[in-house]
């Protein structure tokens, strides 16, 4: 009965390298969300995906960032040619296909992946 | 643009004190959620409020949804060090599954 699993928990990259962050949603959940958080700040929405589809990527930078949620396997957030400003905690959350009994879209979060760019 | 403003941004109190934090908007939300995030972890859902005027209690935490469904408050009675964390509110606007998030209230309860 595992929750949302994110790995790696900590990732160190040098400028110009690629970072790949993985997220396995909670069992039975078909919607995945990626958020970015800087220290002492709230969550910044990046992208919302269903299996094989990007639903909303309005919070994703146009360059260097991409996300996928394949039919099989975890969702991947990929950051190419990382820069120091990409250092942050990246959280994945999942929700079921339908809302809760109240109709609210309730998210279950993973523990996050902390990216440090040297 | 829908926004959720949380206040205060930071709060540091002594163990045993009471406190209230707020989540306000000029927009109407079909539901509103409160999450608590501890250092190094992801946010964890505390409560969802749906009906205007609704009050929900979770041990020493009392959540209220405004009558007009534009604002919410969280009151903690006799705060304990274990209540320390970042309290985030998030609103659901109708059929849109994308939540609108506040920036959070960072609470520190000192022993």
């Amino acid at each position: 009965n595992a929750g949302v699993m994110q790995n790696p928990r900590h990732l160190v990259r040098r400028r110009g390298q690629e970072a790949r962050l993985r997220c396995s949603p909670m069992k039975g959940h078909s919607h995945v969300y990626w958020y970015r958080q800087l220290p002492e700040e709230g969550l910044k929405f990046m992208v919302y995906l269903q299996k094989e589809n990007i639903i909303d990527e309005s919070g994703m930078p146009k360059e260097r960032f991409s996300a996928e949620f394949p039919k099989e396997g975890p969702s991947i957030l990929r950051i190419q040619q990382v820069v120091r400003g990409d250092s942050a905690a990246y959280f994945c959350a999942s929700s079921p296909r339908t809302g809760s009994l109240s109709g609210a879209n309730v998210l279950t979060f993973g523990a996050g992946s902390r990216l440090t760019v040297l | 643009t829908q926004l959720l403003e949380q206040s205060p941004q930071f709060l540091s109190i002594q163990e045993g004190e009471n406190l209230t934090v707020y989540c306000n908007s000029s927009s109407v939300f079909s539901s509103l959620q409160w999450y608590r995030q501890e250092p190094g972890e992801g946010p964890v859902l505390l409560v969802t409020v749906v009906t205007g005027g609704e009050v929900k209690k979770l041990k020493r935490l009392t959540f209220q949804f405004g009558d007009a469904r534009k604002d919410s408050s969280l009151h903690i009675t006799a705060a304990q060090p274990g209540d320390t964390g970042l309290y985030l509110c998030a609103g659901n606007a109708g059929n849109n599954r994308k939540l609108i998030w506040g920036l959070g209230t960072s609470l520190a309860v000192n022993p």
Side-chain angles (χ1 to χ4, degrees):
Chain A
N1 202 18
V4 177
M5 304 301 293
Q6 288 189 249
N7 68 83
R9 288 294 308 272
H10 300 275
L11 183 63
V12 179
R13 285 288 179 264
R14 297 191 180 279
R15 282 179 296 170
Q17 292 184 320
E18 179 179 286
R20 282 190 179 224
L21 310 178
R22 287 175 290 277
C23 170
S24 295
M26 200 163 171
K27 188 177 180 181
H29 285 190
S30 57
H31 298 256
V32 164
Y33 306 77
W34 284 94
Y35 289 86
R36 171 190 160 108
Q37 187 177 42
L38 293 171
E40 304 296 331
E41 292 189 10
L43 296 169
K44 183 177 182 296
F45 169 80
M46 298 181 74
V47 63
Y48 158 38
L49 312 100
Q50 294 179 29
K51 284 283 187 182
E52 299 185 282
N53 285 308
I54 295 175
I55 307 302
D56 183 342
E57 56 181 347
S58 58
M60 194 95 101
K62 298 299 180 193
E63 297 178 351
R64 301 188 299 107
F65 285 72
S66 62
E68 63 176 7
F69 189 15
K71 186 177 180 181
E72 300 291 338
S75 175
I76 307 281
L77 178 67
R78 182 183 178 203
I79 310 172
Q80 295 177 289
Q81 299 175 331
V82 296
V83 300
R84 288 212 173 110
D86 296 332
S87 296
Y90 292 85
F91 288 96
C92 171
S94 70
S95 66
R97 183 176 61 83
T98 56
S100 65
L101 288 175
S102 65
N105 184 29
V106 174
L107 303 184
T108 302
F109 281 84
S113 292
R114 279 149 189 84
L115 173 65
T116 300
V117 180
L118 302 178
Chain B
T1 302
Q2 292 176 303
L3 291 173
L4 276 171
E5 295 184 359
Q6 291 193 243
S7 62
Q9 187 176 357
F10 299 98
L11 187 58
S12 180
I13 61 171
Q14 293 301 120
E15 183 176 359
E17 293 183 8
N18 302 331
L19 68 115
T20 302
V21 298
Y22 301 92
C23 176
N24 296 312
S25 176
S26 57
S27 302
V28 175
F29 291 93
S30 58
S31 65
L32 199 139
Q33 302 161 28
W34 284 92
Y35 293 77
R36 179 170 67 212
Q37 183 180 20
E38 297 185 12
E41 298 296 330
V44 175
L45 179 71
L46 295 173
V47 77
T48 301
V49 285
V50 178
T51 307
E54 181 177 6
V55 176
K56 281 192 174 179
K57 292 195 174 185
L58 186 65
K59 297 182 180 178
R60 295 175 293 100
L61 277 61
T62 302
F63 304 84
Q64 184 161 11
F65 201 12
D67 291 340
R69 290 184 290 137
K70 293 182 179 181
D71 52 78
S72 181
S73 63
L74 159 59
H75 181 79
I76 302 179
T77 303
Q80 298 178 0
D83 296 327
T84 294
L86 180 67
Y87 288 81
L88 294 158
C89 66
N92 206 163
N95 293 326
N96 185 352
R97 294 182 66 95
K98 179 179 165 183
L99 292 173
I100 307 298
W101 289 84
L103 294 180
T105 292
S106 181
L107 171 66
V109 182
N110 306 302

